[in-house]
Amino acid sequence: MAKREHVSETPATQLLKAHKVAYTEHPYEYLEHGGAQHSAAVLGLDPFMVVKTLIMQDQDAKPLVVLMHGNRKVSTKNLARQIGAKSVEPCAPEVANRHSGYLVGGTSPFGTRRDMPVYIEESILDLPRIAINGGRRGFLVQIDPRVCVELLGARPVQCALAE
């Protein structure tokens, strides 16, 4: 049996272990601005099952997390309407880093520095497994998508746009 590359623990993997969540580790060569499409290609995964963790904010600069398919964009208008906000926009990278405690490109919804409401694109919950950031650039974990609802209280929304 080939020895798999082990990735050191992150706040995300510590949280998953503490809650006895089954996950598999998938390290890959990180590419600046490569995004979910790059990680999916390198790991041989469908970009639809690779989930991006996006740190956004509402009109009052209150942060929130959006989990979206790797090959979709967020309709901020639809999202704002569904969560009762006037507007939603992505946070600047340095602001996102401060809220999450992770570097952009390595943001996981698990083990964030601040508690933030989490919204998940509804169709993600229909997938048998998802690959989501494990808390470091170049590191995805595969889990059951329902873990996002169970551990994070993620609320389903419909705000996906084709990229």
Side-chain angles (χ1 to χ4, degrees), residues 7-16 23-28 30 51-53 55 67 97 100-113 131-143 152:
V7 177
S8 60
E9 282 203 352
T10 65
T13 57
Q14 287 172 345
L15 183 85
L16 294 173
Y23 67 91
T24 55
E25 297 182 347
H26 301 271
Y28 65 95
Y30 178 75
V51 175
K52 304 186 273 198
T53 303
I55 308 296
L67 303 178
N97 293 347
S100 70
Y102 294 111
L103 289 175
V104 168
T107 304
S108 176
F110 303 104
T112 55
R113 179 177 290 152
I132 195 162
N133 198 286
R136 173 175 292 123
R137 289 175 171 179
F139 177 52
L140 298 183
V141 292
Q142 278 197 28
I143 58 170
L152 305 172

Side-chain angles (χ1 to χ4, degrees), residues 19 37 59 87 89 94 107 128 134 152:
H19 287 87
Q37 297 280 19
Q59 69 283 347
S87 65
E89 63 183 8
E94 59 279 0
T107 304
L152 305 172

Side-chain angles (χ1 to χ4, degrees), residues 6 19 32 37 39 60 82 94 113 118 123 127 133 148:
H6 176 71
H19 287 87
E32 193 76 34
Q37 297 280 19
S39 58
D60 300 321
Q82 289 178 56
E94 59 279 0
R113 179 177 290 152
V118 179
S123 53
L127 297 170
N133 198 286
C148 298

Side-chain angles (χ1 to χ4, degrees), residues 21-160:
V21 173
Y23 67 91
T24 55
E25 297 182 347
H26 301 271
Y28 65 95
E29 191 70 37
Y30 178 75
L31 174 68
E32 193 76 34
H33 305 296
Q37 297 280 19
H38 169 72
S39 58
V42 171
L43 294 170
L45 301 171
D46 178 350
F48 192 73
M49 63 100 49
V50 174
V51 175
K52 304 186 273 198
T53 303
L54 306 167
I55 308 296
M56 299 192 156
Q57 63 188 16
D58 67 11
Q59 69 283 347
D60 300 321
K62 287 196 175 82
L64 55 113
V65 178
V66 180
L67 303 178
M68 181 55 69
H69 296 286
N71 58 356
R72 299 288 188 271
K73 288 191 298 202
V74 174
S75 165
T76 53
K77 281 186 182 139
N78 285 347
L79 178 62
R81 194 169 33 250
Q82 289 178 56
I83 68 172
K86 286 187 186 126
S87 65
V88 173
E89 63 183 8
C91 286
E94 59 279 0
V95 175
N97 293 347
R98 255 196 331 272
H99 290 317
S100 70
Y102 294 111
L103 289 175
V104 168
T107 304
S108 176
F110 303 104
T112 55
R113 179 177 290 152
R114 283 182 74 167
D115 270 344
M116 298 176 272
V118 179
Y119 300 95
I120 185 167
E121 177 60 32
E122 194 172 60
S123 53
I124 292 171
L125 297 171
D126 297 333
L127 297 170
R129 288 186 71 69
I130 58 170
I132 195 162
N133 198 286
R136 173 175 292 123
R137 289 175 171 179
F139 177 52
L140 298 183
V141 292
Q142 278 197 28
I143 58 170
D144 181 319
R146 289 183 293 279
V147 168
C148 298
V149 175
E150 293 159 9
L151 274 190
L152 305 172
R155 295 197 351 230
V157 291
Q158 293 176 324
C159 60

